[in-house]
Amino acid sequence: MRAISPQLPRALLRITVGIAIAIVAMHLPFAKSWLMAVGGCPIGRVSTAALERATQANLRTEHANARATQVAPTRTILGFELGQTHALEVTRWAAAHDLTCTTQRQGTLFQCKGVATSTLPMPAARIRTLDEVLFTFDRERHTLVALQVHRFRMPAEEMRVYGQEVRRYAIQTLGVDGKEAGCWSLASAGHYETATLRYRFNDVTADVTVTALPQGGAVRETYGLYPSASGS
Amino acid sequence: MKQIVLSTGVLAVVAGSFAFACSDTVLTVPSEDSGSSDASSLADATASSSGDPGSSSSGGSSSGGSSSGGSSSGTSADADTDGNVADPDAATADASSPDATVSTLYTRLGGKPGIASAVDAIVVEELKEPTIAPFFVNVGAGTGPSVAQLKECLVNQLGTAAGGPASEVAYPTTVTDDYVCRDMVTAHTGLGIPSDVFDKFVTIAAGVLTSAGVATADVAVVGDVLNSTKLDVVGR
């Protein structure tokens, strides 16, 4: 049997102390940006399973409260089918278009930034780039359960035009049974002027929101499948 | 406190083949629930919350091709078994007959119960956004506030900003189980919330309030309150 070097415990102690100092240093104010760059502090981070449970519980509650009986006319949104499109198909699509995307939360979240609209079946008059497209997948089946599209910091006129195009797309796709609030002309362009279009089908939930934030217009589209429709 | 002149009206602007329905209605009927859920997790909390602000059977009023304009405006609250208003839309006042006595944002939002209902509805929608949900799901899991305490703090903060009387709301304040609501910097330190995520949060909140029939000017006041915290929340 090899004898343990008397230097080893001391070396281990040095390494342990070094790691501890590094961890503490990463949490100091000046190093916060570095910590966030490597994904933030893992302590206290919520698990993917807990997140999925909470999200599904939230959707089940909404579904029960909505009491909707009508089924969505389609589950295909921007070329992706809720409940059917597999995560691999989305990653292949992203790779084919050389998009900048990251896989998170054990493959349940796929986040793409700076997505060219030409990569999606969208109305031709829409803007050229989407700030962010988020794909959420069922943890077990790896099928698409939610899709979000975001645009931020838009000039007022661009926000109006794009907002109306997104609204038109939603109506063409999901029909006229959505519920609208606010003024889509966004005529005043005052801060926080907001227009919304929301659908609560028996299987699908969808919202389009346009808001004139002080830092620029924000347009948000969110489409999701209720757990009962996805079999979760 | 900014005083907002009550304005209601319906405007239809036809553009292309679609009619843009415009409406400003006022939320006046509070729910019966104060939002003081004792749920131990967000999943429990949302399961016991009053739910979606804009939900209605098969999507509610049809407006895609309509020029009759705007959100539905039912007048009777529909309470669930917990006594919560299941459909906050039902609490939206008729746009054609606003209550002229309702003159402050606090009262227009339905007072403390109405604001609690709005906070519930906003949390429900925020949880559907995958980049925001993790920040809410962690609530109640550590040494911070429980979901119920967090909601109490938010209701007091928003209620105070909306001009609520000191006898009903205060901020900073101490809530259930002697929990002292933290200032925004302390509450968000270590979360590393990006600017875009904050903007999504405000967009979602504005959308929920607009869908619930809150007037544009009132949404702007709430938006200003939220946005005024951005420097304290983002990147910490």
Side-chain angles (χ1 to χ4, degrees):
Chain A
M1 184 177 161
R2 271 177 72 184
I4 297 174
S5 165
Q7 300 296 324
L8 189 56
R10 191 169 293 175
L12 284 173
L13 182 64
R14 283 194 187 125
I15 291 170
T16 304
V17 170
I19 291 172
I21 290 172
I23 290 173
V24 170
M26 287 291 274
H27 287 78
L28 294 174
F30 71 87
K32 187 65 78 180
S33 60
W34 303 341
L35 181 64
M36 292 307 153
V38 296
C41 179
I43 306 299
R45 200 180 290 169
V46 66
S47 75
T48 299
L51 187 58
E52 189 173 81
R53 278 197 302 274
T55 304
Q56 289 187 354
N58 186 52
L59 287 169
R60 284 194 191 95
T61 302
E62 180 184 80
H63 185 246
N65 286 336
R67 298 186 292 271
T69 54
Q70 187 182 344
V71 175
T74 180
R75 292 182 181 179
T76 301
I77 306 293
L78 299 175
F80 302 98
E81 188 175 358
L82 295 169
Q84 289 295 323
T85 299
H86 195 275
L88 287 175
E89 295 176 71
V90 177
T91 52
R92 280 193 209 109
W93 161 80
H97 295 287
D98 200 23
L99 298 177
T100 304
C101 305
T102 54
T103 301
Q104 301 168 37
R105 299 177 200 162
Q106 300 173 349
T108 61
L109 180 64
F110 193 63
Q111 182 180 40
C112 298
K113 296 200 171 181
V115 177
T117 54
S118 59
T119 65
L120 295 165
M122 306 172 85
R126 293 176 89 172
I127 51 154
R128 292 181 180 171
T129 309
L130 302 167
D131 285 316
E132 181 185 62
V133 181
L134 292 163
F135 301 87
T136 304
F137 301 101
D138 181 280
R139 196 160 48 95
E140 293 177 355
R141 295 179 185 78
H142 311 292
T143 51
L144 185 67
V145 293
L147 175 64
Q148 278 89 19
V149 180
H150 296 108
R151 275 283 286 161
F152 303 109
R153 295 176 292 280
M154 303 175 79
E157 185 56 26
E158 188 176 308
M159 172 190 68
R160 281 192 204 100
V161 172
Y162 177 57
Q164 289 167 7
E165 286 175 353
V166 169
R167 172 184 178 271
R168 190 175 298 122
Y169 173 80
I171 291 171
Q172 286 171 347
T173 306
L174 295 172
V176 296
D177 287 329
K179 181 184 172 187
E180 296 193 277
C183 182
W184 285 90
S185 68
L186 299 166
S188 74
H191 283 347
Y192 307 104
E193 184 175 9
T194 301
T196 64
L197 170 59
R198 62 173 42 193
Y199 293 88
R200 295 295 180 268
F201 294 105
N202 184 257
D203 53 343
V204 169
T205 171
D207 288 82
V208 175
T209 306
V210 181
T211 301
L213 296 175
Q215 53 270 39
V219 179
R220 178 173 190 270
E221 298 170 72
T222 177
Y223 308 92
L225 196 62
Y226 285 122
S228 56
S230 66
S232 298
Chain B
M1 172 58 207
K2 193 174 174 180
Q3 296 294 314
I4 304 300
V5 176
L6 191 70
S7 66
T8 64
V10 176
L11 169 67
V13 179
V14 178
S17 60
F18 296 99
F20 297 115
C22 305
S23 65
D24 283 344
T25 53
V26 184
L27 193 69
T28 57
V29 183
S31 75
E32 302 193 0
D33 178 46
S34 64
S36 56
S37 165
D38 58 359
S40 58
S41 70
L42 185 61
D44 296 336
T46 54
S48 63
S49 76
S50 58
D52 171 61
S55 60
S56 61
S57 178
S58 68
S61 64
S62 172
S63 53
S66 167
S67 61
S68 59
S71 56
S72 64
S73 55
T75 54
S76 62
D78 182 13
D80 66 15
T81 52
D82 295 323
N84 299 327
V85 174
D87 182 0
D89 281 344
T92 304
D94 184 344
S96 64
S97 57
D99 183 350
T101 62
V102 178
S103 58
T104 69
L105 177 57
Y106 183 77
T107 50
R108 286 198 298 278
L109 290 173
K112 195 170 183 178
I115 291 173
S117 200
V119 166
D120 276 345
I122 289 169
V123 170
V124 166
E125 289 303 313
E126 303 287 357
L127 191 56
K128 287 159 72 177
E129 167 56 45
T131 56
I132 292 177
F135 299 111
F136 280 90
V137 173
N138 247 350
V139 168
T143 57
S146 68
V147 174
Q149 289 166 335
L150 175 66
K151 285 184 177 177
E152 281 187 83
C153 291
L154 289 172
V155 169
N156 274 281
Q157 187 178 18
L158 192 55
T160 303
S167 59
E168 295 183 20
V169 288
Y171 197 85
T173 189
T174 301
V175 295
T176 303
D177 292 336
D178 295 327
Y179 180 77
V180 179
C181 299
R182 296 174 294 178
D183 64 83
M184 297 301 278
V185 172
T186 305
H188 296 90
T189 294
L191 296 180
I193 296 174
S195 179
D196 283 354
V197 169
F198 183 88
D199 289 349
K200 283 183 207 171
F201 181 93
V202 177
T203 300
I204 291 169
V208 169
L209 294 173
T210 300
S211 291
V214 177
T216 299
D218 290 347
V219 173
V221 175
V222 176
D224 275 334
V225 170
L226 294 176
N227 221 37
S228 69
T229 67
K230 186 169 184 176
L231 287 176
D232 294 337
V233 170
V234 169
R236 298 203 170 269

